Amino acid sequence: MSEELHDVRLSVNGASYDVRVPGRRLLSDALRHDLGLTGTHVGCEHGVCGACTVLLDGAPVRACLMFAVSAQGQEITTVEGLARPDGTLSNVQQAFVECHGLQCGFCTPGFLTTITAGLRANPTPTHEECREMVAGNLCRCTGYQNIVRAVERAAELGLDTPSLVPREGSSTNEETP
Amino acid sequence: MTTKLMGQGVQRVEDQRFLRGQGRYVDDVAVGPATLHAAVLRSPHAHARIVDIDVDAVLDLEGVHAVWTHDDLTGPMAEPLPLLIPHPALTHGRTQYALAKDEVNYAGEAVAFVVAEDRYVAEDALDRIRVTYDVLPPVVGIDAARAADRLVHEDVPGNVGARMEQQTGDAQAAIAKAPHRLELDLTVERSACTPMEGRGTVARWDPDLNRMQVWTSTQSSTGVRAVVAVKLELDLGQVDVITPDVGGGFGVKINHPWPEELLVPLAARALGRTVKFTEDRREHFISSAHERGQVHHVEVGFDDDGRLLGLDVAFWHDHGAYTPYGLIVPIITSTQLLGPYKPEVYRVVFESVYTNTVMVTPYRGAGRPQGCFVMERTMDAIAEYLGKDRAEVRATNFIQPDEFPYDQGLIFQDGRELEYDSGDYPASLEKIKALVGWDEFPAFQKEMAAVGRRVGIGLACYVEGTGVGPYEGAHVHIETTGKVKVATGLTTQGQGHATVFAQLVADELGVRLEDVEVVTGDTRRMPYAVGTFASRAAVMSGSAIHLAARRAKEKVLKIAAEALEASEEDLEIVDGVVSVKGSPGSSLDLGTVSVLSNPLRYAFDEASKAATQFSVGDPGKPPVPEDEEPGLEGRDFYSPERATFASGMHAVIVETDPETAEITILKYAVVHDCGKLINPMIVEGQIHGGVAQGVAGALYERMAYDENGQLQNASFMDFLMPYVTEVPDGIDIDHLETPSPLNPLGIKGAGEAGVIPSAAVFAAAIEDAERLSIPGLAITAMPISPSELFHLRQSHPSQEHTA
Ligand code: FES
Ligand code: FES
């Protein structure tokens, strides 16, 4: 017996994608395998490592703990959507280059999305707050030293990711599947 | 004048890709509906005989393409997997089958392999396979293995896979004669590499080209290539292995082949479709590899100064159910535990034992953390016994700077003499003492004690054999655009190879960093290579790349000298332009030299037009002279006599809570000598990561097996991998550079250093913090959790009347 499929419209990084997926398809898998947006990584599939973090209407969520069907109607931002419209790196990304905030780069997308949302909520964090901001994400390579430095550096540079600025007058998308 | 890039903290060139979500890890390859996905049925039992496997219901499921069990395998695929590093002492080596035959020996062993439209369906299919097991009692832990009431493999007596002994003299006699003697029992538990990206393999069989292409997350592309060819009965030349971006390795990805690395290509060929396997986190815990589990017994004799007169160490290494990677880990422990010291007489013996648990392969540090723990605990015990300063006892035993090269009289893991190339341990000690505030600490400790706070300091020293052979190679190609393409066969898993190797090429060739592109781990570009492990990449491939760039440069100068009618000695290359020194008008860019290097019959563009047979060359001579090749390329290999020896010292100050026994890190300091630094920013990053993994191994991570051989903490929820909240907030680092005489760049290797002394340094510091309140309390087993420390306090004899 074949699985029931659902037509879903996902709005990711400002573009709309129509996909047909089973109800159990994780948002992380839909992004990666159905949309080909492989920047979002899966490190644990049980919500602990933070590698799969994407922004849902600007708020960080774990894409491995959500079904693709439940993301309909919300604006998803993945790591692919963090650079500036002209293609240059956002300040958070730039801070990672300057501070050597990544090694293998596997955890990095989750950190970038988390920090982008974190700095939006608190643009002038203290050192302690910078550490707290990344305290839900695992990295096996960097020992976190330079990631914390990158948060501080990004705060210094200021937040600049335009895709995250809430669009004036935009309300919940009520499109039917 | 171009500034030298060697030694500079150049920002990484590979970061752009990763930061934009454009990294290409294995699971990012072959995305889309054309690819089939595999899932593996794994044994739920630690030890059982397989009575029957019924797969009848599997293919009825829509979307399932195929299922394999051992019975479906033929030829070399039906034989056990290879034993990669045989050693004469490994008398009872055993390896598993790609799919279990008759018996399973750990919970997680591969039993059946399903390929379906997607991973979800493949996992559904696994549920339909019925396996009848005859469950056997498992052997879990070193004590059970040594007791040998039950055997893991019926034909391995006493569960002993190997016994190995090395000595430099009669240690027992030396100990018996020594003025003072001590005995210690020391234990380190199992942990694991646990990279954020697990294992993964994609394969595509191309019937038109008659080629197998495999992408895999490995530390040895050439190794995987060789084994895929052998097992699938293909010629080596028919197999390409490409290692794209790797999301961390730390040792676990050096083992090969994993069953899936063979089954995926097998399925791809059988089904005529691209097939992918991506491991999930639970699978990584129960079916890849662990390390560190060892129990040690030390006997030591010393004089009044604490000088080691005789050292006798016996230890037992838990290698799990199989031994595909041989004895590398215990051999390293047995040799590298000597660290920077020179005992007069040393004997070491180990037994490597089978248990019904996940097998062992090297994990960052590879046996050295255990060795360092043993030696440094011994140093601390001697200092305590003699009432001496712990740093002073260490200094008494150091190999002195004028004693290099220093031969320890043992054989190292690579089969070569354990001979240290260079170092300056007294200088390191001075640096670490200054960095951590060693001499001022006792006063601080008293001050804290006066207000009821327990603080302690620990120090640990290590030496790390890095850059082991046999060799690495490199190929440098200067394109007609002037861009330089560099290929080396070893892989990369986050160490910044694209940057450091580019720095070396830019320096040697005189080109801009941004004009150099480095490719690693692609057998199509460099089929001769060993792999990325044992802190060998910078030493081995770095040296090979340097030599290959030099060869390319020699060719550049020869061609340019002819074209510019100058002598080679008068030429220099700056920013990609070759010119006659002191006469700036007379120059050629590298792209033009590349054009001139290849005499052409056909013109494709302006550049190639300049190299056609009517444009260049002396018609009286052959267009390609004897002993020359067309093209502006250089290829070379580097193969050292023996390993280089990096070294270092760590110190930590901790605070332990008098009530809860919680352990807090107050200060962490590292002095590090990896010879000449190519890129200090990257080296420090390696140290940061190593220290975090060390903290993990010392305070948090362990493999919690129950008596049935079930791993109770096979998830990130239960396995306590440190978040930022668990690592030191700031690590003080100081470098020392004692260049290695063994390679042209004087470099050693920095990948593993950060993790080696952690268990030792934390044990020392925690003990020091506790001792003021509980004299005689000893930390002999790591990792240590707050509850373990609490119980240790409670059970200490001096506490019994107060408790
Ligand atoms: S993959 Fe989603 S939190 Fe780890
Ligand atoms: S950079 Fe490798 S896991 Fe964070």
Side-chain angles (χ1 to χ4, degrees), chain A residues 41-53 62-65, chain B residues 716:
Chain A
H41 293 156
V42 175
C44 69
E45 258 185 342
H46 50 254
V48 179
C49 74
C52 68
T53 306
R62 311 223 141 165
C64 74
L65 292 184
Chain B
F716 278 158

Side-chain angles (χ1 to χ4, degrees), chain B residues 434-776:
Chain B
L435 203 57
V436 77
W438 183 264
D439 291 332
E440 301 80 57
F441 184 76
F444 173 67
Q445 191 178 37
K446 275 209 190 73
E447 217 176 280
M448 291 290 107
V451 294
R453 290 176 64 182
R454 296 183 186 182
V455 295
I457 195 168
L459 170 69
C461 314
Y462 68 90
V463 163
E464 181 195 0
T466 54
V468 293
Y471 72 86
E472 285 300 336
H475 181 249
V476 172
H477 178 207
I478 302 167
E479 302 244 18
T480 53
T481 54
K483 301 268 184 203
V484 185
K485 306 284 176 180
V486 182
T488 186
L490 58 57
T491 58
T492 192
Q493 51 257 5
Q495 303 95 330
H497 292 163
T499 304
V500 293
F501 293 157
Q503 282 178 258
L504 298 177
V505 171
D507 274 355
E508 185 59 28
L509 269 185
V511 295
R512 283 184 300 260
L513 186 74
E514 54 271 28
D515 288 336
V516 185
E517 183 193 276
V518 178
V519 166
T520 56
D522 185 336
T523 63
R524 298 170 304 177
R525 297 284 300 274
M526 173 49 75
Y528 297 100
V530 183
T532 302
F533 57 91
S535 305
R536 69 191 293 282
V539 178
M540 302 300 300
S541 276
S543 297
I545 284 169
H546 172 77
L547 295 173
R550 178 173 294 175
R551 281 200 189 273
K553 184 179 178 178
E554 281 163 13
K555 195 162 182 186
V556 167
L557 295 180
K558 197 164 168 186
I559 295 167
E562 223 164 282
L564 295 170
E565 293 173 356
S567 106
E568 287 173 39
E569 298 80 66
D570 294 338
L571 299 180
E572 63 177 358
I573 316 175
V574 177
D575 285 345
V577 177
V578 196
S579 51
V580 181
K581 279 178 225 163
S583 82
S586 198
S587 67
L588 282 173
D589 59 36
L590 281 177
T592 307
V593 180
S594 177
V595 169
L596 296 178
S597 74
N598 184 13
L600 292 173
R601 182 172 178 82
Y602 307 114
F604 320 107
D605 54 16
E606 282 309 310
S608 51
K609 205 159 96 187
T612 53
Q613 53 195 330
F614 297 108
S615 325
V616 291
D618 176 348
K621 288 187 196 157
V624 180
E626 216 174 313
D627 294 328
E628 282 291 347
E629 291 173 9
L632 201 49
E633 300 175 49
R635 194 164 99 133
D636 213 336
F637 290 84
Y638 170 71
S639 179
E641 221 173 298
R642 54 173 54 86
T644 46
F645 283 84
S647 66
M649 299 179 188
H650 289 205
V652 68
I653 298 176
V654 301
E655 176 164 8
T656 58
D657 188 290
E659 303 293 327
T660 64
E662 197 182 328
I663 300 155
T664 312
I665 304 166
L666 302 184
K667 189 175 176 72
Y668 203 100
V670 175
V671 170
H672 184 258
D673 177 3
C674 61
K676 286 284 184 196
L677 301 172
I678 304 173
N679 185 325
M681 179 189 84
I682 286 176
V683 169
E684 293 193 359
Q686 290 293 316
I687 294 172
H688 292 164
V691 168
Q693 275 180 317
V695 170
L699 303 179
Y700 300 99
E701 295 175 2
R702 69 186 72 218
M703 291 297 161
Y705 276 104
D706 70 10
E707 70 279 11
N708 299 313
Q710 296 293 336
L711 189 58
Q712 298 294 297
N713 59 347
S715 79
F716 278 158
M717 198 79 86
D718 306 296
F719 178 81
L720 302 180
M721 196 160 117
Y723 289 91
V724 68
T725 37
E726 279 70 51
V727 300
D729 185 6
I731 298 167
D732 297 331
I733 301 175
D734 196 358
H735 298 285
L736 187 77
E737 288 186 304
T738 61
S740 173
L742 296 177
N743 62 67
L745 299 165
I747 49 184
K748 291 181 174 177
E752 302 173 272
V755 83
I756 296 171
S758 318
V761 79
F762 276 101
I766 294 166
E767 194 175 89
D768 189 46
E770 295 292 301
R771 283 258 171 104
L772 281 186
S773 318
I774 312 174

Side-chain angles (χ1 to χ4, degrees), chain A residues 8-10 19 21-31 34 63 66-72 76:
Chain A
V8 184
R9 172 163 291 181
L10 294 175
V19 290
V21 292
R24 62 176 172 170
R25 192 136 181 99
L26 299 176
L27 176 58
S28 49
D29 286 339
L31 290 170
D34 297 324
M66 253 188 96
F67 294 121
V69 289
S70 46
Q72 167 139 319
I76 301 166

Side-chain angles (χ1 to χ4, degrees), chain A residues 2 24-26 29 32 38 41 43 46 48 87 93 97 100 103-106 127 131 135 140-142 144-145, chain B residues 12 19-20 24-25 27-28 120 124 192-193 250 281 363 494 685 688-689 693 701 716 722-724 728-730:
Chain A
S2 59
R24 62 176 172 170
R25 192 136 181 99
L26 299 176
D29 286 339
R32 292 180 49 76
T38 55
H41 293 156
H46 50 254
V48 179
Q93 291 167 313
V97 182
H100 186 29
Q103 289 184 22
C104 78
F106 196 82
H127 175 71
R131 278 169 66 87
R140 190 53 148 178
C141 300
T142 61
Y144 305 103
Q145 308 292 318
Chain B
R12 300 206 321 174
L19 291 166
R20 294 169 186 276
R24 272 288 166 278
Y25 304 87
D27 193 46
D28 306 341
Y120 295 64
D124 290 346
C193 302
F250 312 115
R281 187 50 57 185
Y363 166 25
H688 292 164
Q693 275 180 317
E701 295 175 2
F716 278 158
Y723 289 91
V724 68
D729 185 6

Side-chain angles (χ1 to χ4, degrees), chain B residues 4-75:
Chain B
K4 268 252 181 241
L5 293 173
M6 171 114 180
Q8 290 193 33
V10 174
Q11 286 178 3
R12 300 206 321 174
V13 298
E14 53 266 73
D15 285 356
Q16 291 285 333
R17 203 170 70 245
F18 296 132
L19 291 166
R20 294 169 186 276
Q22 291 165 349
R24 272 288 166 278
Y25 304 87
V26 170
D27 193 46
D28 306 341
V29 170
V31 165
T35 297
L36 300 178
H37 295 261
V40 179
L41 182 73
R42 303 189 181 279
S43 166
H45 304 294
H47 199 189
R49 257 185 272 288
I50 299 172
V51 179
D52 181 57
I53 307 178
D54 176 2
V55 296
D56 286 353
V58 171
L59 293 173
D60 298 344
L61 191 67
E62 194 181 317
V64 174
H65 287 249
V67 55
W68 278 267
T69 68
H70 185 271
D71 286 348
D72 303 311
L73 304 177
T74 56

